[in-house]
Amino acid sequence: MTDGATGGLRERRMADTRRQLSDTARRLTAERGLAGFTVEEVCEHVGVSRRTFFNYFHSKEEAIVGHADDMLDQAARDAFVAGGGGEHAGLTPTLLDDLAALAVSHVELVAHDPEQMRSLAAAIGKEPQLLGVFMRSGAENERMLRELVTRREGLAEDDPAAAMAVVVFLAVVRHTSHQFFAAGNAHPFADLLHANLDALRSVFAAERPARP
């Protein structure tokens, strides 16, 4: 087996272990609350050592949110960057829709099947402060998104349009996340996000008064 194949297999095994740890931590939180289980119990369920857990996560809370390396796959990033270019004035017309596709891909990786999405929602419902932990992971997401937007749009790293596009979009994502994880919500994340983006477009489409 080549070094590349061996490395790829190792990465897949590591990713699988991380996801199992997150899945178990979410399920136990939904059932018992954060104080109702230990890191050792999570490790016992997955069949790994405490040391392995702390190689990936600093706390139970971080395990519930998920590992940064599992937040966005390369194919989604490549598709987003490839959507730029062409002859147009300003940012590409599909930028918001393509950012939405990235966000949905992120959510699908964080909770990679419907059962895990329910477990994550139940965990946050049991321990509402976890939504804050989930949102604080957004600092790295903002940096990464700005880099992707500038690459896609062919802009300088400090371009204000790219910065504002990301800031506004992430504000919509935060609002959507609060709606999605609210008790009694039955709407998919993607539907809520697109509805909120449509509302945002209507605000920006409103006629602006002329500057004096």
Side-chain angles (χ1 to χ4, degrees):
M1 185 177 291
T2 65
D3 290 343
T6 302
L9 179 60
R10 184 184 305 114
E11 288 297 320
R12 287 193 295 274
R13 286 175 175 169
M14 291 170 63
D16 184 59
T17 299
R18 289 193 299 262
R19 291 193 179 104
Q20 287 186 58
L21 289 168
S22 288
D23 294 350
T24 302
R26 291 168 186 168
R27 178 174 55 80
L28 292 175
T29 301
E31 293 173 357
R32 310 180 195 173
L34 271 171
F37 67 97
T38 64
V39 167
E40 287 76 12
E41 285 182 88
V42 175
C43 296
E44 183 179 350
H45 278 282
V46 177
V48 299
S49 68
R50 177 184 171 89
R51 180 178 179 180
T52 296
F53 179 96
F54 285 107
N55 282 340
Y56 298 130
F57 305 109
H58 291 103
S59 64
K60 292 185 284 187
E61 290 88 344
E62 282 193 9
I64 293 163
V65 170
H67 195 277
D69 289 346
D70 300 326
M71 293 301 186
L72 199 61
D73 66 23
Q74 192 60 48
R77 300 182 196 208
D78 292 344
F80 175 77
V81 172
E87 296 296 328
H88 56 84
L91 300 174
T92 49
T94 60
L95 178 60
L96 280 179
D97 287 329
D98 292 344
L99 281 169
L102 268 184
V104 171
S105 174
H106 165 77
V107 169
E108 289 174 347
L109 278 176
V110 171
H112 45 88
D113 60 45
E115 182 59 35
Q116 277 307 309
M117 186 62 79
R118 286 190 288 271
S119 289
L120 179 57
I124 290 175
K126 191 89 168 182
E127 301 282 357
Q129 74 272 20
L130 287 171
L131 186 55
V133 179
F134 190 74
M135 301 312 298
R136 283 195 296 275
S137 68
E140 176 62 17
N141 290 340
E142 180 173 345
R143 183 203 63 76
M144 180 269 294
L145 281 180
R146 285 183 64 173
E147 178 185 340
L148 290 176
V149 168
T150 55
R151 283 175 53 200
R152 166 197 167 100
E153 304 293 329
L155 301 172
E157 291 183 4
D158 60 351
D159 187 274
M164 286 301 98
V166 171
V167 167
V168 171
F169 178 74
L170 288 178
V172 175
V173 170
R174 284 192 291 272
H175 177 69
T176 303
S177 296
H178 282 286
Q179 290 178 307
F180 179 72
F181 289 117
N185 172 59
H187 300 287
F189 180 86
D191 291 355
L192 292 170
L193 178 59
H194 284 291
N196 287 331
L197 288 176
D198 287 344
L200 178 66
R201 289 188 182 95
S202 71
V203 171
F204 287 153
E207 184 177 355
R208 294 183 301 172
R211 290 184 177 181

